[in-house]
Amino acid sequence: MTVPSRTLPPALLLVGLGGALLSSSILAGATLLLAIAGGVFIARKSPYKAGWDTPKELRLLHFAFWFFVLVSVCSWLFEGFDYEGSKTLGSHARFLVFWPLVIALSYIGLRAQTMFVALGLVSLSAIGAFISALASQLWSVDHLLTMRFGGGINPISFGNLALLGGILTLVGASFFLRTGKRVPAALFAVAGVSAAVISMLSETRSNLVALPFLLLVCLPLVGKKARIAGLILIPVLLALAIVSGDRMAQSVQALMNGGTLDNGMAIRLEVWGLAWDMFMDHPWTGVGLGGYTHVIESAVANGDATQYLLTCCSGHAHSDFFNNAATSGIPGILSWALVIFIPLAIFARHLFSKHLPTAHLATAGVLVSVGYFFFGLTEATFNRNLFLTFYLLAIAGIASALFHELSASYVRQRNRKVSATIITKNEEAHIADCLKSARLVADEVIVLDSGSSDRTAEIAREYADVVEVTDWPGFGIQKQRALEKATGEWVLSLDADERVTPELAREINHHLADPDADAYKLPWAVTIYGTRLDFGRSGRAPLRLFRREGVSFSDALVHERILIPEGRKVKTLRGRLTHYTHRDFGHSLEKSAKYAWLGSLEKHRKGKKTRTMLYPTLRGLMTFVQVYFIRFGFLDGAVGYLTAVTYAQVTFNKYAGLWTLSREERSNKARE
């Protein structure tokens, strides 16, 4: 990596976020240049040549952004390529550069410190805008306090982003303090508080709605006692913010005295009502990106809406929810929910991480998503270029830094003895690689072979500590036999077609230095037909690593379960357990048929029955929906579709087999 390619992306990130409150053009220009840099890296395949293993979470984020654009494109097409709609689509299309942004920032190994400096510059720009305005008024604070301060841009946009930037800067202050950098921590604390205070001068009511929730998100960063104090302090800060703002205080007082809402809220309620009517009239398609504008204009012309709506609300409905519902219907609501809640769910998973950079970046990511959710209740944030681009760059930057820090956080070495157990039969093509990968985390390797007719046992003896050839009693009993031979405190149960990736090995060793659970699930990365699946068939995380004491396997013929004593803690790791399920399609059909029939026999053994072929059909269909849609299998392309169909066929065959067994049983009883 050359010096320019290493330094340019972080510089553009700093300029983009730091200049957001000064000019939307600075933010847009820096984002575009950063995306171009990412495009160059993609064309050269630079990240992949460097061994970058794409986190599936980033692919999921990418889906959320392009799905939002896809829905907008469909709305524009359905309304007939409307000119007004094309302008909105032009704004939404910015989301398409998410992947180049992520590639650029991931390739250079963006760290938490750089990301927090960039977020801190948002506060600095808010302070700069305030000082500049103060200087232009000859340092007369009274004059600034009599107006809605917007720093030269829309007061709503300035207020929301200044508040969010201030809270994010305080998270940065916590990060620097807890990593021993006291001077930067103090500067960030002052800047964060200042930006938050300045944001209140915008008199933006959505700030007061969002403020308590933003502060709540920060509580995991402090100790338990401080959290209790924080829960008491947050309402006090909210009350002070309301009292100090004339606009909000007057609104609250009017409502308490039985008065009416002020003009701003009354207009919003009116336009939300119109937007809801548009949605109810066209729930599946909406009225189109430009159709919303035409409906508002028509309502005003017919005297059904206030004339003022042409000035304030003809472009959008001042609410992300109502705006997407009106313009794009149910798909629009879904696209908005995904672009908010997918990032929220991904970041929230790491809020309580013991790794300081990870925990602070996760908090920052949740803050951005939560902030935009509440800002979007009363403002169409994704129809404003400044809001939309800030969200795009902030999420891309925080996510890139988070997964880089996660990968770099696994540094400890395990101090627990681990036994790896593998059962085999005719696995000579897989066994060597499986055992080599097991050695990355295991002190003892045990192989139980069920009478292979190939070189499986011979190869296993080169790598394993214990190799025994036995009969075949079924998956559950055979794995229990292997478990009973283990002597380690912890056991890793593998199948011969599975591999422990180097990153998963580092993560396992890191956790077993000081275990925070009694058992761990290891997410699958099913690899077939030359493709690694990140979703669909890989949507499961089977239990594979556990503390040996008191654990046993069920006696199932297939799909055995690990029986963990009650009260033990189970966690899911991030690293992937590569699973080479099939050699080719023929092997897929053979293996699928075998597992389906064993599943039929197992269910029949347990007394399960099915009396109609409708049930196998419905179960097969439900499996396809679950694998292909609910587990996002469609993101794995053609192989993802083929896998979903194959998996659905296995489910159908399993219950069809059970139907035949039930039918035979009924026939035998009838003859008796």
Side-chain angles (χ1 to χ4, degrees):
M1 190 189 305
T2 62
V3 174
S5 65
R6 186 186 301 111
T7 59
L8 181 60
L12 290 172
L13 178 68
L14 294 171
V15 170
L17 292 179
L21 295 183
L22 301 178
S23 170
S24 60
S25 297
I26 295 176
L27 173 61
T31 302
L32 177 60
L33 291 174
L34 188 56
I36 291 173
V40 172
F41 294 151
I42 292 172
R44 294 177 177 175
K45 299 183 179 179
S46 301
Y48 308 105
K49 290 178 181 177
W52 184 57
D53 187 18
T54 310
K56 69 175 184 178
E57 295 93 338
L58 290 182
R59 290 190 59 201
L60 197 56
L61 286 173
H62 185 208
F63 158 70
F65 284 105
W66 71 249
F67 182 74
F68 188 94
V69 180
L70 177 63
V71 170
S72 294
V73 169
C74 290
S75 296
W76 186 57
L77 294 177
F78 291 155
E79 69 179 343
F81 306 98
D82 184 84
Y83 172 72
E84 290 294 330
S86 67
K87 293 189 289 185
T88 300
L89 179 61
S91 296
H92 292 176
R94 298 185 183 205
F95 275 160
L96 291 176
V97 303
F98 175 79
W99 194 246
L101 291 176
V102 162
I103 291 294
L105 296 172
S106 297
Y107 179 52
I108 55 98
L110 183 66
R111 301 302 297 262
Q113 179 170 307
T114 303
M115 190 66 226
F116 281 119
V117 169
L119 295 172
L121 290 177
V122 179
S123 292
L124 190 62
S125 64
I127 296 169
F130 178 75
I131 293 175
S132 176
L134 192 60
S136 68
Q137 298 297 324
L138 301 178
W139 308 102
S140 173
V141 178
D142 292 339
H143 181 76
L144 286 180
L145 296 179
T146 60
M147 54 182 282
R148 292 188 67 188
F149 181 68
I153 61 176
N154 183 291
I156 296 175
S157 301
F158 180 88
N160 287 165
L161 294 182
L163 174 64
L164 182 58
I167 304 297
L168 289 168
T169 303
L170 291 176
V171 174
S174 171
F175 170 72
F176 286 117
L177 178 64
R178 296 178 68 180
T179 53
K181 300 179 177 65
R182 296 184 178 275
V183 173
L187 294 174
F188 270 60
V190 171
V193 171
S194 300
V197 171
I198 292 170
S199 74
M200 295 301 164
L201 300 179
S202 69
E203 296 283 348
T204 303
R205 281 171 292 210
S206 55
N207 273 7
L208 298 176
V209 176
L211 179 61
F213 296 97
L214 294 175
L215 294 175
L216 282 172
V217 171
C218 297
L219 290 184
L221 296 177
V222 300
K224 291 183 179 179
K225 292 183 179 179
R227 290 175 199 169
I228 297 174
L231 291 173
I232 299 172
L233 184 60
I234 288 173
V236 174
L237 292 175
L238 179 61
L240 288 173
I242 293 174
V243 171
S244 63
D246 293 338
R247 190 162 176 257
M248 191 64 181
Q250 291 170 3
S251 299
V252 172
Q253 186 175 4
L255 286 174
M256 293 179 64
N257 294 333
T260 59
L261 292 170
D262 63 56
N263 190 50
M265 288 307 301
I267 288 173
R268 275 179 167 78
L269 289 178
E270 181 182 3
V271 77
W272 292 347
L274 290 171
W276 185 251
D277 289 340
M278 296 179 208
F279 169 69
M280 295 303 293
D281 291 339
H282 305 275
W284 291 105
T285 62
V287 296
L289 301 184
Y292 168 85
T293 298
H294 301 317
V295 171
I296 293 295
E297 291 173 345
S298 177
V300 172
N302 295 333
D304 298 327
T306 309
Q307 184 75 25
Y308 186 68
L309 294 189
L310 293 177
T311 303
C312 73
C313 311
S314 63
H316 54 77
H318 277 285
S319 164
D320 279 326
F321 174 81
F322 286 109
N323 195 69
N324 281 281
T327 59
S328 304
I330 291 173
I333 295 174
L334 178 62
S335 69
W336 168 73
L338 291 177
V339 89
I340 290 290
F341 292 109
I342 283 182
L344 177 62
I346 289 173
F347 291 127
R349 180 184 174 188
H350 304 286
L351 276 176
F352 293 93
S353 172
K354 294 180 181 179
H355 185 238
L356 289 179
T358 297
H360 284 78
L361 286 167
T363 301
V366 172
L367 281 171
V368 174
S369 297
V370 168
Y372 268 73
F373 172 78
F374 285 103
F375 299 155
L377 294 179
T378 57
E379 185 62 34
T381 59
F382 295 132
N383 272 47
R384 292 183 180 271
N385 288 336
L386 176 60
F387 268 124
L388 183 147
T389 311
F390 185 92
Y391 187 79
L392 170 67
L393 186 56
I395 293 294
I398 294 170
S400 300
L402 173 69
F403 292 112
H404 180 77
E405 292 288 1
L406 270 173
S407 181
S409 68
Y410 309 131
V411 294
R412 297 182 299 183
Q413 294 299 314
R414 61 185 166 84
N415 51 24
R416 270 72 172 173
K417 182 179 179 181
V418 176
S419 297
T421 61
I422 302 99
I423 63 172
T424 61
K425 183 170 183 179
N426 296 333
E427 293 285 0
E428 67 176 358
H430 289 295
I431 190 61
D433 288 337
C434 173
L435 297 181
K436 288 177 184 177
S437 74
R439 280 295 184 191
L440 297 175
V441 296
D443 305 283
E444 175 185 56
V445 177
I446 299 165
V447 175
L448 257 63
D449 184 75
S450 304
S452 294
S453 58
D454 60 11
R455 298 178 59 249
T456 299
E458 178 185 343
I459 296 172
R461 290 189 177 95
E462 297 179 25
Y463 301 97
D465 299 289
V466 176
V467 178
E468 289 191 10
V469 179
T470 71
D471 61 337
W472 175 244
F475 283 92
I477 295 176
Q478 188 74 330
K479 288 194 173 184
Q480 178 62 30
R481 288 173 176 175
L483 176 61
E484 290 170 357
K485 295 183 180 300
T487 61
E489 179 185 353
W490 285 75
V491 172
L492 173 66
S493 177
L494 293 176
D495 290 337
D497 56 4
E498 294 175 337
R499 312 280 187 276
V500 178
T501 62
E503 181 156 346
L504 175 59
R506 289 194 297 111
E507 187 178 4
I508 289 174
N509 289 330
H510 178 83
H511 278 277
L512 293 189
D514 183 19
D516 55 354
D518 298 293
Y520 295 98
K521 294 181 178 181
L522 309 182
W524 261 340
V526 174
T527 302
I528 51 177
Y529 315 127
T531 300
R532 187 189 79 175
L533 306 182
D534 285 331
F535 303 97
R537 186 69 173 85
S538 293
R540 291 183 55 220
L543 186 65
R544 284 287 189 263
L545 180 65
F546 50 89
R547 199 186 304 273
R548 179 170 58 91
E549 183 182 1
V551 175
S552 61
F553 282 87
S554 67
D555 61 355
L557 296 175
V558 67
H559 299 311
E560 70 291 340
R561 294 188 302 114
I562 298 176
L563 307 176
I564 303 290
E566 284 189 29
R568 293 197 179 177
K569 191 174 183 180
V570 180
K571 283 193 172 185
T572 302
L573 299 184
R574 277 196 68 250
R576 315 296 296 281
L577 185 65
T578 307
H579 188 196
Y580 295 92
T581 56
H582 311 133
R583 292 189 298 272
D584 49 42
F585 192 63
H587 183 226
S588 168
L589 296 175
E590 177 187 339
K591 188 173 180 180
S592 296
K594 172 185 174 183
Y595 273 71
W597 180 240
L598 287 174
S600 302
L601 295 173
E602 179 63 23
K603 287 190 173 296
H604 185 69
R605 183 173 72 91
K606 291 182 176 180
K608 304 289 185 181
K609 299 182 189 320
T610 181
R611 298 182 180 277
T612 170
M613 282 298 292
L614 179 62
Y615 187 71
T617 303
L618 291 177
R619 285 300 298 256
L621 181 60
M622 288 169 59
T623 296
F624 178 82
V625 171
Q626 181 188 37
V627 174
Y628 195 65
F629 292 107
I630 297 177
R631 292 184 183 173
F632 296 97
F634 57 88
L635 294 181
D636 289 320
V639 176
Y641 175 77
L642 177 59
T643 302
V645 171
T646 303
Y647 213 50
Q649 183 69 55
V650 171
T651 301
F652 173 82
N653 288 344
K654 178 170 61 178
Y655 286 98
L658 179 60
W659 179 80
T660 64
L661 292 170
S662 302
R663 186 181 179 88
E664 289 173 3
E665 186 178 48
R666 289 195 299 271
S667 298
N668 292 335
K669 287 182 179 180
R671 285 196 294 268
E672 292 175 359

